Amino acid sequence: MNVPFLDLKANANSIKDEVMASWQEVLENTAYVLGPKVAAFEKAFAEAHDVKHCYGVSTGTDGNHLASLALNIGPGDELVVPANTFIATAWGATLVNATPVFVDCEPDSYNIDPAAIEAAITPRTKAIAVVHLYGQPANMDPILAICKKHGLGLIEDCAQSHLAEYKGKKVGGIGDIASFSFYPGKNLGAWGEGGAITTNNEELGRFVDMFRNQGQEKKYYHKVYGHNYRLEGLMGAVLLIKMKYIAGWTEARRKVAAYYDAQLSGIEELTLPTPMPYAKHVYHLYVVQTPKRDAMSAYLTEHGVGNGLHYPIPNHLQECFAHLGYKKGQFPVSEQLGANCLSLPIFPEMTEAQMAHVVKTVRGYFGA
Ligand SMILES: Cc1ncc(COP(=O)(O)O)c(C=O)c1O
């Protein structure tokens, strides 16, 4: 039996007819860029995240750029970023000619370590970008307190955490501004590129709305510098339909995770994810750790179990940041995770047989 790491086709097939009918409407009204489908999606997405404003944008990376611009981060400024995240969080700094300042992650949540943030703050620090990585919210209360104490902005990178909750509150409206990705493999994925900004701050929202659309307040009246970061109508149509199912799909992911938790516990040399007491984890990824990672990955592949590495090289050791002078050994938790992490298949349409095959193969590898 083969279990893919992710089965986008199964997901697409489950809504294909609805999407085709909706795309027909888009073709008929020719609202190819922004338009009524995007507007309806923005409303539904904001409501689902208990946040006042949502603006569809072209990608999550562009969202991170926009979030930094909205908080007026620029040349000479520093943005605190976790060492353990996908690199696009750090582009939030580089795209505005600011400097990312990396911080290690916690050994249990794998999210930015609030206790390590203050040591990274300098007079140039403008904001903190937290990531709710793998679908689990970061520990926001101590981070909010640090932002308040030092007068810093707070960006949430929610690319992996649609509908995740921190102490019962949805992510996306906890900090000043948040960026989501709708890359196809995300928990909420478009059939192409997509992203969104959410915020409770009217002024920041207005800026985002203008900047994404050539800096326009109204057509040909360019109030601020801008760019073309608009979400396409066809993507808005897919995302709007998916909003009907996202809560159910999230529960399905959590069930797969609960099954793995139960069936894979107690294996020596295998560390399972730790759901934090304050978090509702939405399991974009199910990341385990083992010192035998490379051999385990090869074994899984050989036995038809898709797997991935998120992420093998922490940001501070990426070649593109060599000039920043970080050293190996500086962020031991992120570095250990880079060496030992392995992501198991997880997607809402997983069958019991697929889940059982993953478990059997993993247990077989460890002789458990
Ligand atoms: C944590 C994180 N931030 C940002 C991004 C960038 O999103 P996108 O691929 O839509 O540009 C991604 C996903 O790729 C991500 O995982």
Side-chain angles (χ1 to χ4, degrees):
M1 175 179 226
N2 274 322
V3 184
F5 181 63
L6 180 64
D7 191 347
L8 289 182
K9 208 177 211 174
N11 186 264
N13 282 340
S14 72
I15 54 168
K16 195 165 80 190
D17 293 345
E18 272 184 280
V19 172
M20 288 306 158
S22 180
W23 276 15
Q24 190 66 35
E25 283 175 54
V26 176
L27 295 186
E28 264 152 39
N29 67 18
T30 67
Y32 300 130
V33 178
L34 297 178
K37 294 290 183 194
V38 170
F41 164 68
E42 290 170 340
K43 188 166 177 288
F45 195 75
E47 275 169 18
H49 287 85
D50 296 322
V51 64
K52 282 189 191 146
H53 309 286
C54 171
Y55 300 94
V57 297
S58 35
T59 67
T61 305
D62 295 337
N64 285 348
H65 183 198
L66 262 169
S68 290
L69 285 168
L71 294 186
N72 209 17
I73 303 170
D77 293 335
E78 292 175 352
L79 178 67
V80 172
V81 174
N84 176 44
T85 177
F86 181 62
I87 199 150
T89 314
W91 297 155
T94 60
L95 284 166
V96 295
N97 295 312
T99 306
V101 174
F102 297 112
V103 167
D104 208 354
C105 64
E106 297 176 315
D108 44 10
S109 75
Y110 305 148
N111 278 319
I112 193 166
D113 185 351
I117 291 177
E118 281 206 71
I121 292 174
T122 76
R124 289 204 290 260
T125 310
K126 201 74 183 272
I128 300 171
V130 299
V131 186
H132 308 303
L133 200 67
Y134 311 145
Q136 169 145 265
N139 191 3
M140 297 303 281
D141 279 348
I143 299 171
L144 283 161
I146 293 167
C147 288
K148 196 164 175 201
K149 178 172 162 197
H150 296 273
L152 305 176
L154 183 53
I155 297 170
E156 291 175 80
D157 183 332
C158 299
Q160 305 189 1
S161 59
H162 315 76
L163 293 187
E165 292 175 20
Y166 174 75
K167 295 188 177 172
K169 187 167 176 13
K170 294 274 178 358
V171 300
I174 302 173
D176 295 300
I177 190 163
S179 170
F180 286 83
S181 166
F182 306 129
Y183 184 73
K186 295 293 194 273
N187 285 23
L188 181 68
W191 288 3
E193 302 277 6
I197 289 280
T198 57
T199 181
N200 284 311
N201 181 315
E202 184 135 358
E203 205 181 318
L204 297 183
R206 227 168 76 79
F207 170 81
V208 167
D209 194 18
M210 289 190 286
F211 190 94
R212 71 169 172 170
N213 194 9
Q214 307 288 4
Q216 296 177 113
E217 194 173 33
K218 57 182 182 176
K219 201 163 182 150
Y220 304 133
Y221 287 75
H222 306 274
K223 194 175 174 77
V224 296
Y225 285 180
H227 206 302
N228 175 357
Y229 282 170
R230 296 177 297 232
L231 182 64
E232 295 178 355
L234 294 172
M235 297 307 121
V238 175
L239 292 165
L240 179 61
I241 287 164
K242 285 194 168 193
M243 286 309 291
K244 289 196 277 180
Y245 304 105
I246 176 79
W249 289 338
T250 301
E251 287 318 308
R253 284 176 180 278
R254 286 168 54 79
K255 276 197 187 135
V256 177
Y259 178 83
Y260 286 160
D261 287 346
Q263 301 291 324
L264 296 175
S265 69
I267 298 177
E268 218 186 310
E269 294 191 296
L270 185 72
T271 306
L272 303 181
T274 309
M276 303 305 283
Y278 48 73
K280 180 176 176 188
H281 197 321
V282 295
Y283 291 99
H284 173 57
L285 294 167
Y286 190 93
V287 178
V288 300
Q289 282 201 75
T290 173
K292 301 168 166 177
R293 194 271 308 282
D294 291 341
M296 178 176 168
S297 171
Y299 181 90
L300 293 185
T301 304
E302 206 179 295
H303 290 78
V305 175
N307 57 94
L309 307 184
H310 301 92
Y311 297 90
I313 302 176
N315 281 310
H316 66 291
L317 299 179
Q318 292 288 351
E319 194 176 342
C320 63
F321 293 129
H323 63 284
L324 297 178
Y326 289 95
K327 300 272 178 303
K328 212 167 177 184
Q330 199 166 341
F331 299 131
V333 184
S334 298
E335 289 173 37
Q336 185 189 313
L337 189 63
N340 294 357
C341 66
L342 186 107
S343 307
L344 298 179
I346 191 161
F347 51 91
E349 298 77 14
M350 263 186 109
T351 63
E352 282 183 15
Q354 287 176 318
M355 283 152 56
H357 182 67
V358 174
V359 163
K360 190 172 130 231
T361 311
V362 172
R363 293 192 74 89
Y365 175 71
F366 287 101

